[in-house]
Structure formats: C-alpha cells, structure tokens
C-alpha cells in the first residue's frame, strides 16, 4: 500500500488513527482485570483514549487525529501505538503491549480497512498478550478541522475558535476534541468490530508538541517499579509509627487487626434425628458445614470464622439436619448485636446449651452446645478455624490451607574414619584360589554412599590387611533411625568381602576437636566364616560444627549442633506478614477467563519455619499474621517467600506449589526497636526475563535485650570454633548442603500440611552454585564497584601530576612533604578522615532495608540465550547447535582469561629472573644497582629519599619525557618462561 499523493506544504493533511477495540488483554490491577487506555505517538505528538475501567476486552471506537507536516515524508515515519493499564491508587500505569505501524502501510481514507494487530513486547522482560483493532488513513477533511473542542474542567465539551497555522511551529500546543460517548454500557455487547455507521467515533486531534524524554517507568515520588516503598498501615489498632505495644492486641502489634465472628459448635443432645448428622452455620451468603457424625455421638468441636468486613446479615443461624437431606429439622440463631467481644488474654468463652427450634418455630427437646463471639486473629481459635473465604475448598483439603509452624530436624555431621582391616581373604569363585585383591571400603548411611580409595600395596603389610586411614563424613538427622553399613569390597571381582552394621544412635558424640577412641568390628564374611576378618573404624557425631543448610551469605543460623555450646540469644525478631498486592495470576479456576491465585507465605529464620494460612481466590490477599524468632547473631538473614497453593484444587493433578517471589532481609541492616513497614517487590527470574509478580507488605522489628552482647557478637568468629580448627573443604560443604536439603525436605514434606520440596529448595537457594553468565557479570561489576575507590585515588594522583590545576597540585605537594617530615601523623590522619566521612554520611544513611535489586542482579540487561543457558538442566538438554555456540562462547571468554593469567605469570617470572641469572647481563646490572642502592639508602636519610622520589614523581609535565622510564624498560626486557611454552 502506497502513501497517497498529497501536495506538500498545504498544512491540511491529517493522519487519522481509529482505535476500535482490544481483546484478551493481560490483567494488571491485581484483581484479575485491567483499566486500559491507548496512547498513540506520531512526530512528537502524543494522544490517548479514554480509560475503560475493569475491562479486558475494551471497545473505544475513538478517532485520534494528528497533523501531518509533509505527507510525502510519511513513508519514512512510524506510528507508535501503546496500550497501558491505569493505576489510580499510585497515579501510574502498567505496560500492556504495543504496536508499531510503518508509514508505508497508511492508506487513503476510502481504501483503509480495520486491521487486527497482535500486541508486542516493549522489551525482553515485558509480559503481554492480546490483540488490538485499528484503522489508519490520510485525509484532508478532518471532522473537527473547523472547530476544535477542548475538555473543560468539569469533563464537558466546549467550543473554541479555529486554530491558527502558527500554532504548529511556534507554540506547539495540543488540542483535544472529546465528543460525548453515549450508550457506553451497550458498547460492551457489540461485536469486536463495531459498525461505524451505528456508533459515531470519539475524535481527538493534536498538533505537534514536545515529546517527553525516554526513561524507565517512574512513580510520582521518583521511585521505579522495582523499588522498595514505605507504607503506613494501622498496626495493632494504632499507627505504624507507634513504638509501644497495644495491650488489647497482645502480641499482634505488628499487623492490622482483623475482626472475625467465631462460632464454635461443640455437641448436641436429644435430637430426633437418625443416621449421620451435620450442623450448618449460615451467615448471609456464607455457609459452613461441620463433619458428619453419628446420631448416637453428636460431638463436633469445630470452629468457624467469618470475616466481619464481609458480613451482610444481622443474625447467624445454626441448622441441624441429616447429611442426606436438604431440609433442616432444627435451628439455633443469634442476633449479631448481642454477641460479646473477646479480647486476649481473656479466657476463652465457655460454650453453653441452647434450645433447638423446630421448623415451625416451636422449641423442641433437643439442645445444642455452642459459643459465639467476636474476636481478632489473635484469638487462639483462629489457627484451627474454618474460614468463610475458604468455602470453595474441599473438606479434605482444608488442612492444606491452615497456618503452621515447622522445625527443621536437628542435623549432625557423622565422621567415619576408616583406618584398616585385618585378615581379609579374597577367593576366586571358579578356582577357589586366593589372589592379590584391590580392596576398598564402601559406607552406606541412608541414601548416602561413599567409598574410600583402593588400598595401596605396602611391603611392610600383608595383602590381606588393607590400610586406608581416610575420613568419610555424612549428614544425619535426629532422631537417628539409620544404620552405618561398612562394606569391604573387591574392585576386581566386584563382590563383597565382608560387612558390618552400626546404629547411628550408638555413635559417640563430641563437641570439640579431640578425637574419640577407635574400635575393631568383626566383618560378616558370609560363607567364609573360617576367616576372622575385622575392620578398624573411628566413629563420632561432630556437634561442634554448624550444619549449613543455606548458602553462607544467606545463612539464618550459625550456631553449632551441640546445644551445650549455644550462647544466649541477643534479641528478638518480630515480623508481621500483612498482605500482598498485584499478584500475578497463577491459575484459572472453573473455566473462567480471569486468573487468580491461592497464595500463602513461608518465612524461615534458623530452624523455625512458619507458614501463613492460604488466602483462596485472591490477587490481593491479606494475612495479618505475626511471628517471633530468637536472634542469636545479628549478621544473619531472614527469608520470606510467597507461593501459590496447588493443593487447594482437588481436581488439579499438579501438587507442586508455584513460586511467586521472595524477600531477604539482613538483620544487621535494621535499627533496633524500630518498626519497618515497607512494600517489597516480588521479583522472579524466568526463562524469558525478570518479572514483577506483586508486592509483599511486611512489618519488621528487631528488639535488643542487651546492647553490649549485641556489639560483642561483631568481634566473634562467624562460624563455630570447629570450622577453623578442623576446616571442611568447599566441595565438601557443597555436598553437605545437598544432603542437608534432602534431609530437611524429607522431614517437612511429611508434616501436615506438608511443606513441599519445591518450597524448601526455593527458600534455601539450592541452585545458587549453578553457572550463570548473568550472575558472573553481576559479580564482576560488584568487584569493579569495590575497587572503584582505589581507581579514584589513582586518578586523583594522576590529575595532581598533570598540573592542570596548579593550585591544587601545589597544595598536594605541600601535604605530601608535610607527611614525609612527620610520618607519625599518617595513620592518625587516615583514621580521622575515615571517622569524619562516617559521621558526615550518618545523616544520609539508608533508611530502608535492602531488597532484591534487578539492576544489581543484571536481570534487566541479560540476553535471551544467557537466560536459556541459566535455566538449562545439568547435563544439558539443548540441541547440538546451541551447545556448540555456548561452548565457543566459553572458549572465547576462557581465551581472554588465559591471556590475562599468562601476562600476570610473565610479570612474576620477570621479577624472579632478576636473581636467577637466566639473563646474566640483566642480573649483573641489577646486582650492581642493589649494591649502590644499599650504600645510598644507608647514607641518605629515609625521609629525604622519600621526599625526593615523591617530588620526582609529581614533577610537572614539562620536565618529563613521553618515553617509558629506564627502570620500566629494564624490567620489560627481562626474560620469562613464556618462550618455553608450546
């Protein structure tokens, strides 16, 4: 399609873009919907449509009219059409997709037709879907060319005079025409392509205006989409800034109070019912049903909780009926205005007997024991109660949505020293002849298998007495149910020579590095009972180590396993898990097109894991649950993760909970006794980029009982003493972490409700050691940032040497000479300067705790192939061409590293060549220089030598030459071993 031949310079050409509608947009408002609008940009002119509230399939049918300066140049222009979601709460917007239309595709007014475009991503990390219908053409008779209408302050339409031709070049003002949009509700019933004759489009016209500068999406306060935001919730019935505890809320002073109506149904008697009986509690539209019990034993003892903010009735009714019938036989009802309020720590409300009314309103002989009261989430019944918002959850899955506290198993390092064996005979099965064996010891502990090396031949020992003297270590968990199985096997024959089993519970425990006694154990030889084979072992449970289940940098507990080595705790950590907003839909329920989520939080600090209740079918869940941990070391990290519960839907075959995001908070960055209330962005890295899956609202407080003990912790070693007296290798610790993760995941998965392995792996960062190009770049730039201060000092010295600022260079030389004359002032001056810098930066200290940073992680600038490589399995599952390309890339990077390492080795070898006489003339020159320097430094004072050397180095450029110095030229001529490389 070609651009129409329109005369240039008339100023009457208009580009009309008709926004018809959109279909299947991405929900972005956190409630499964969006409030979309379209923004079109052309030649520094930017116009937008109306906002369609809560509509994923909006119909606009609006015209946007742009001024075209030269229609002949239109073929070189582009139309940028973007769809956004308006966020009224924060006065910002979310990106929903974009379309780019080339000017060559713009036709005449009578030739253009409605076209559908698929929405595209703005960047690699955008997540969009849907289509948009457009119509674009060139015209010389815009509908509102004569009289342009503007929007007044009240939202109406008023007429203005005709626009002069000088506005486009001088004032660059925008003019907006908004015609009344009638029958808005009927538009939703129209097909996706509405009839243009039946619906008159809304027309918006603009002349060229200033274009805003590019940049990331920013909020009005200047923060970005991935930044941390401070919130002001009403904690404990007060404000977030109050530091005192509200007595009425007991220990729940870091969460917002949530009012509930509690109904405890205990039991019934004297009912004229048979078979299985149930109680049905009804409050407005909410209904809860007890379990089925026999008519001979009418006891339920179940609690039901109804959120007060959703109550739409003035009475609560309890119906009694047979489980196979819909009609009730009796009921008990309560007026909500007469129900008492219970505030902990008051004692629980005692249940009472109430007469049951029959269907005709007559009181029967039956009675129901029940208690009804208003309370908050601080009530003891809250954790065990059935919640009204979980009405769609199957009764068998109710246990999977309740809040629970878990404890990691107590883990030990089991050390087995395999010293030697005696009287081990190996006989060939075919010939029954003894031969020289190749023996090794294999140890089983649970699912862990380790082997020693093959016993080497020793002329002083018989071949039937192999000797190893190797330490093998395992991870075991209390209670000790496994056994240690030691097997001596022949590598040549592939058969077992003998075995022995030792229960782990019988192994001696130690808390220090003092070795325990060894012992001889008889081997079970099977049929060869005439040989008294023995094995010499030393076994111990090392309680002086801390069994690392997390990465060292994210560790939440560093105490040794043995409890007698623990020190008193130094503080308390209190976390209020308030709510989440804008969660990404994780599932579609009941065939509906709107996504939802069944989210819960998991927090881990030390061996204590906490799990909040699951808020069903909500993208903005509110938990308002508070938990407390004892803090034994301030330099630790607490981790809070958000997950989608896959066990809520019984019909769902997937039992793995999906990760939504997590937050890490280092306790040493928190001020004591201060309540931090912030909204943390939940960021998850997927194979197609980083995504913000929502925001988690937390209230955190670190309390300190003894400030002296808190400060003393900073002077103690990070890990227990045994990690330094008998250190463990890095590879050994990585293997232990994997075994520890298996032990923790196996124990927590057997709890009720179970905490899945996928949750444990995500919380413990099991894949932290996996190769990642993105993480390597992030670590490299972190290192560059660390050495940037040294680089700044070097550059400062170079600037002083250049004498581009003579006054500053002169002051620098004077200070240098002063330090040379009084060297005892150097260290005091440095420490005083550091103290002054620290005091100066105190007023600009960080007010917010750190959070997941996508920029530091290089998640916003990563390439697609690098992400695909990071999410690849090990061993790889990609095709040959992809693997070859990645291998060539690694070879290229390794080649550069190889060159740098080679250059560094050459410089070191040149330094060694000064005295090696590899180059006799160079060594002779260096020896003469050393002798002369020895005499010179002995005669000349050190201060004078340093001063002269410094002045020589800082001399002005006019007294220098551009050639390298003689000493540097001499050093570069020295030989290295690079000449000997093949």
């Amino acid at each position: 399609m070609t651009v129409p031949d329109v005369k240039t310079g008339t100023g009457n050409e208009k580009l009309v873009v008709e926004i018809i509608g959109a279909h299947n947009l991405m929900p972005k408002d956190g409630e499964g919907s969006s409030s979309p609008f379209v923004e079109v940009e052309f030649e520094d002119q930017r116009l937008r449509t109306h906002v369609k509230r809560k509509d994923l399939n909006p119909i606009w049918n609006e015209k946007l009219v742009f001024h075209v300066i030269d229609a002949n140049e239109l073929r070189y222009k582009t139309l940028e059409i973007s769809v956004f979601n308006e966020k009224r709460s924060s006065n910002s917007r979310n990106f929903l997709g974009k379309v780019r239309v080339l000017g060559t595709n713009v036709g005449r007014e009578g030739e253009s037709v409605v076209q559908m475009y698929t929405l595209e991503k703005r960047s690699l990390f955008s997540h969009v879907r849907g289509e948009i219908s457009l119509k674009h053409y060139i015209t010389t008779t815009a509908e509102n060319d004569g009289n342009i209408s503007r929007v007044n302050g009240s939202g109406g339409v008023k007429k203005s005079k005709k626009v002069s031709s000088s506005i486009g070049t001088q004032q660059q003002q925008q003019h907006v025409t908004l015609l009344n949009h009638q029958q808005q509700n009927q538009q939703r019933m129209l097909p996706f392509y509405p009839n243009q004759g039946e619906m008159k489009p809304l027309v918006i016209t603009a002349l060229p205006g200033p274009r805003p500068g590019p940049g990331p999406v920013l909020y009005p306060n200047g923060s970005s989409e991935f930044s941390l935001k401070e919130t002001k919730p009403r904690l404990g019935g007060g404000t977030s800034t109050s530091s005192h505890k509200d007595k009425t809320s007991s220990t729940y002073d870091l969460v917002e109070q949530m009012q509930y109506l509690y109904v405890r149904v205990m039991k019934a008697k004297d009912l004229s019912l048979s078979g299985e009986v149930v109680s049905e509690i009804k409050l407005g539209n909410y209904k809860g049903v007890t379990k089925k019990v026999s008519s001979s034993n009418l006891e339920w003892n179940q609690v039901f909780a109804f959120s007060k903010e959703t109550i739409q009735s003035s009475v609560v009714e309890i119906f009694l009926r047979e489980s196979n019938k819909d009609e009730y036989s009796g009921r008990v009802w309560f007026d909500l205005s007469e129900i008492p309020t219970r505030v902990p720590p008051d004692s629980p409300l005692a249940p009472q007997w109430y007469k049951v009314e029959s269907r005709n309103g007559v009181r029967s002989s039956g009675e129901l024991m029940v208690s009804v009261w208003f309370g908050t989430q601080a009530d003891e019944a809250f954790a065990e109660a059935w919640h009204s918002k979980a009405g769609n959850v199957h009764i068998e899955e109710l246990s999977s949505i309740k809040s629970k506290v878990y404890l990691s198993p107590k883990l030990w390092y089991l050390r087995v020293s395999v010293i030697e064996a005696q009287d081990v005979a190996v006989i060939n099965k075919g010939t029954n002849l003894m031969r020289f064996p190749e023996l090794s010891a294999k140890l089983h502990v649970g699912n862990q298998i380790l082997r020693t090396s093959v016993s080497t031949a020793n002329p002083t020992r018989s071949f039937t007495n192999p000797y190893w003297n190797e330490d093998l270590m395992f991870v075991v968990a209390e209670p000790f149910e496994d056994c240690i199985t030691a097997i001596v096997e022949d590598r040549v024959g592939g058969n077992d020579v003998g075995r022995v089993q030792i229960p782990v519970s019988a192994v001696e425990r130690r808390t220090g590095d003092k070795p325990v006694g060894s012992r001889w154990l008889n081997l079970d030889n099977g049929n060869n009972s005439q040989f008294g084979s023995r094995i010499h072992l030393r076994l111990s449970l090392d309680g002086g180590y801390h069994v690392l289940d997390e990465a060292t940098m994210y560790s939440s507990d560093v105490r040794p396993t043995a409890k007698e080595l623990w020190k008193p705790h130094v503080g308390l950590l209190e976390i209020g898990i308030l709510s989440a907003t804008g969660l990404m839909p994780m599932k579609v329920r009941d065939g509906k097109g709107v996504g939802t989520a069944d989210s819960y939080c998991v927090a881990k600090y030390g061996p204590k894991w906490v799990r909040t209740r699951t808020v069903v079918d909500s993208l903005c869940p509110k938990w308002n649950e508070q938990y407390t941990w004892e803090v034994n070391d301030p330099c630790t990290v607490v981790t809070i993760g958000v997950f989608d519960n896959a066990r809520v839907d019984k019909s769902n075959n997937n039992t793995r909970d999906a990760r939504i995001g997590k937050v890490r908070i280092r306790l040493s960055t928190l001020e004591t006794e201060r309540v931090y209330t912030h909204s943390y962005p939940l960021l998850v890295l997927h194979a197609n980029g980083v995504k913000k899956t929502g925001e988690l609202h937390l209230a955190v407080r670190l309390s300190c009982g003894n400030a002296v003990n808190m400060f003393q912790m900073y002077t103690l070693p990070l890990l227990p003493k045994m990690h330094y007296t008998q250190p463990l290798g890095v590879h050994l610790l990585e293997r232990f972490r994997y075994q520890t993760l298996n032990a923790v995941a196996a124990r927590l998965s057997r709890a009720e409700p179970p905490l899945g392995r996928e949750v444990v792996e995500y919380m413990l960062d099991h894949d932290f050691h996996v190769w990642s190009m993105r993480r390597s770049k992030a670590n490299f730039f972190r290192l560059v940032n660390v050495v940037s201060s040294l680089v700044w000092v070097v550059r400062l010295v170079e600037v002083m040497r250049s004498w581009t600022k003579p006054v500053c260079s002169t002051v620098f030389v004077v200070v240098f000479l002063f330090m040379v004359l009084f060297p005892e002032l150097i260290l005091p001056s440095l420490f005083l300067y550091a103290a002054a810098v620290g005091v100066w930066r105190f007023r600009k200290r960080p007010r917010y705790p750190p959070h997941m940073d996508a920029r530091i992680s290089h998640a916003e600038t990563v390439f697609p192939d690098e992400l695909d490589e990071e999410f690849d399995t090990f061993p790889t599952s990609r095709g040959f061409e992809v693997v070859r390309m990645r291998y060539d890339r690694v070879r290229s990077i390794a080649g550069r590293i190889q060159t740098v390492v080679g250059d560094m080795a050459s410089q070191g070898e040149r330094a060694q060549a000064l005295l090696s006489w590899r180059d006799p003339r160079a060594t002779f020159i260096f020896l003469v220089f050393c002798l002369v320097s020895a005499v010179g430094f002995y005669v000349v004072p050190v201060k004078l030598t340093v001063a002269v050397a410094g002045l020589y180095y800082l001399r002005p450029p006019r007294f220098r030459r551009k050639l390298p110095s003689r000493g540097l030229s001499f050093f570069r001529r020295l030989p290295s071993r690079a000449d000997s490389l093949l």
Side-chain angles (χ1 to χ4, degrees), residues 569-798:
H569 65 272
V570 297
L572 289 177
L573 172 65
E574 299 169 275
I575 296 181
I577 303 177
L578 304 179
S579 61
T581 56
L583 295 184
M584 178 177 290
M586 307 301 293
K587 62 184 70 169
V588 178
R589 181 170 284 119
D590 298 333
K592 299 178 181 179
V594 179
T596 184
D598 306 319
S599 55
Y600 66 93
C601 288
V602 175
K604 182 194 182 298
Y605 183 76
K608 180 179 177 181
W609 300 63
V610 299
R611 169 179 177 157
T612 67
R613 72 186 188 282
T614 300
V615 178
V616 181
D617 201 13
S618 175
L619 297 178
C620 297
K622 292 184 178 181
W623 295 286
N624 285 304
E625 300 183 22
Q626 182 172 339
Y627 299 94
T628 304
W629 289 266
E630 291 182 350
V631 177
N632 297 279
D633 195 317
C635 301
T636 47
V637 178
V638 60
T639 305
I640 304 102
V642 185
F643 301 89
D644 178 72
N645 196 333
R647 296 174 176 85
V648 172
D649 295 329
K650 190 176 180 181
S651 60
N652 187 9
N653 297 326
N654 181 23
T655 59
R656 291 179 59 87
D657 295 345
R659 61 183 68 171
I660 298 179
K662 67 180 175 183
V663 174
R664 297 193 199 100
I665 303 175
R666 182 167 292 274
L667 304 191
S668 59
T669 62
L670 304 178
E671 300 178 9
T672 55
E673 308 302 335
R674 175 187 169 185
V675 178
Y676 291 84
T677 54
H678 293 89
S679 174
Y680 295 81
L682 297 174
L683 306 180
V684 176
L685 190 65
H686 294 279
N688 54 355
V690 65
K691 296 179 181 178
K692 180 180 178 182
T693 56
E695 295 183 356
L696 179 63
H697 300 259
L698 300 175
V700 184
R701 177 172 58 207
L702 177 64
S703 303
C704 175
N706 192 329
V708 176
N709 293 340
M710 181 77 78
F711 285 110
Q712 185 184 6
M713 291 300 301
Y714 283 85
T715 63
L716 299 179
L718 180 63
L719 296 174
K721 177 182 177 181
M722 206 163 177
H723 282 272
Y724 304 99
T725 57
Q726 290 188 0
L728 304 174
V730 177
H731 296 289
L732 197 60
L733 289 176
E734 287 297 330
R735 182 173 65 82
F736 289 160
R737 272 200 65 204
Y738 178 74
Q739 299 297 340
T740 302
L741 187 145
N742 289 337
V744 174
R747 183 66 57 86
L748 298 183
S749 63
R750 295 198 298 266
E752 185 61 35
L755 207 59
R757 181 182 179 88
E758 67 279 2
V759 176
V760 177
E761 289 180 348
Y762 185 56
M763 296 291 290
L764 297 182
D765 292 285
H766 75 290
D767 57 350
F768 180 77
H769 64 284
V770 178
W771 159 256
S772 168
M773 180 70 75
R774 173 193 59 83
R775 194 176 290 131
S776 301
K777 290 181 180 179
N779 292 334
F780 173 77
F781 284 103
R782 286 171 56 204
L783 180 61
V784 169
N785 187 48
V786 169
V787 301
S788 60
S789 57
L790 298 178
V791 175
W792 178 82
V793 172
V794 173
R795 290 179 178 176
L796 176 63
V797 174
E798 290 297 325

Side-chain angles (χ1 to χ4, degrees), residues 474-527:
F474 305 86
V475 177
V476 292
E478 290 187 0
F480 302 126
E481 301 172 351
D482 296 325
C483 290
I484 307 168
T485 304
I487 304 173
V488 179
E489 59 180 7
D490 180 21
R491 193 180 67 171
V492 176
N495 56 337
D496 296 346
V497 179
R499 65 173 58 205
V500 64
Q501 281 192 343
I502 311 100
V504 177
S505 57
V507 178
E508 182 180 353
R509 306 183 184 188
R510 65 170 184 169
T511 58
D513 54 357
K514 183 179 179 180
V516 300
S518 60
R519 50 180 170 168
W520 287 92
L521 301 170
N522 294 326
L523 293 174
D524 182 10
N525 299 332
N527 296 329

Side-chain angles (χ1 to χ4, degrees), residues 279-346:
S279 295
E280 182 178 301
I281 297 88
K282 186 175 181 182
L283 180 63
N285 295 328
Y286 294 98
K287 180 176 66 175
V289 182
T290 63
K291 60 186 177 181
K292 301 176 183 178
V293 297
S294 174
S295 58
S296 61
N297 185 20
L298 297 173
E299 291 188 8
W300 293 282
N301 193 17
Q302 287 184 250
V303 184
F304 297 82
F306 298 88
S307 179
K308 192 174 181 180
E309 63 182 11
T310 59
I311 293 179
Q312 299 178 353
S313 177
S314 59
V315 295
V316 55
E317 299 173 291
I318 304 174
F319 299 97
L320 297 170
R321 61 178 175 86
E322 296 178 6
S323 60
N324 56 355
K325 296 181 180 179
D326 294 333
E327 296 182 355
Y328 71 90
S329 61
R331 72 160 189 166
V332 175
W333 62 276
F334 299 90
D335 191 342
L336 298 186
S337 61
E338 299 179 358
I339 294 178
T341 300
R342 175 180 177 256
V343 179
D346 294 348

Side-chain angles (χ1 to χ4, degrees), residues 59 185-195 198-199:
I59 300 296
N185 296 331
Q186 298 178 2
Q187 292 180 6
R188 301 179 184 270
M189 306 300 296
L190 294 176
F192 189 63
Y193 301 111
N195 190 341
E198 298 179 359
M199 296 179 57

Side-chain angles (χ1 to χ4, degrees), residues 246-426:
D246 186 358
K247 299 300 182 182
T248 61
S249 61
S250 184
T251 58
Y252 280 71
D253 62 332
L254 290 184
V255 294
E256 297 177 340
Q257 287 191 4
M258 301 175 66
Q259 298 292 330
Y260 288 91
L261 172 65
Y262 290 97
V263 179
R264 180 183 291 273
V265 182
M266 295 294 296
K267 55 186 177 180
K269 65 180 181 179
D270 300 336
L271 297 180
S272 58
L273 296 174
S274 60
E276 293 182 333
V277 182
V278 296
S279 295
E280 182 178 301
I281 297 88
K282 186 175 181 182
L283 180 63
N285 295 328
Y286 294 98
K287 180 176 66 175
V289 182
T290 63
K291 60 186 177 181
K292 301 176 183 178
V293 297
S294 174
S295 58
S296 61
N297 185 20
L298 297 173
E299 291 188 8
W300 293 282
N301 193 17
Q302 287 184 250
V303 184
F304 297 82
F306 298 88
S307 179
K308 192 174 181 180
E309 63 182 11
T310 59
I311 293 179
Q312 299 178 353
S313 177
S314 59
V315 295
V316 55
E317 299 173 291
I318 304 174
F319 299 97
L320 297 170
R321 61 178 175 86
E322 296 178 6
S323 60
N324 56 355
K325 296 181 180 179
D326 294 333
E327 296 182 355
Y328 71 90
S329 61
R331 72 160 189 166
V332 175
W333 62 276
F334 299 90
D335 191 342
L336 298 186
S337 61
E338 299 179 358
I339 294 178
T341 300
R342 175 180 177 256
V343 179
D346 294 348
S347 298
L349 193 67
Q352 300 180 20
W353 288 102
Y354 294 90
K355 286 289 185 178
V356 177
E357 293 182 357
S358 61
R359 291 182 59 86
N360 55 10
V362 179
R363 292 195 175 186
S364 63
S365 60
E367 291 181 299
L368 178 66
M369 179 179 281
V370 66
S371 59
V372 184
W373 72 96
F374 281 109
T376 64
Q377 73 269 33
D379 201 294
E380 293 86 351
F382 179 79
E384 59 175 315
W386 174 92
H387 292 268
S388 57
K389 293 185 178 180
N392 297 328
V393 181
H394 195 272
I395 189 170
E396 297 179 0
E397 306 297 335
L398 284 178
S399 61
S400 66
I401 66 174
K402 293 183 178 180
S403 58
K404 289 292 180 180
V405 176
Y406 308 85
L407 289 178
S408 296
K410 192 174 183 180
L411 301 172
W412 294 73
Y413 284 148
L414 172 63
R415 186 188 297 268
V416 181
S417 299
V418 185
I419 303 174
E420 59 180 335
Q422 284 185 354
D423 301 330
V424 178
V426 179

Side-chain angles (χ1 to χ4, degrees), residues 861-876:
T861 58
V862 66
F863 292 101
D865 181 68
E866 296 175 356
L867 278 177
D868 183 71
E869 181 181 15
E870 183 172 347
F871 283 89
D872 191 9
T873 57
F874 189 87
T876 181

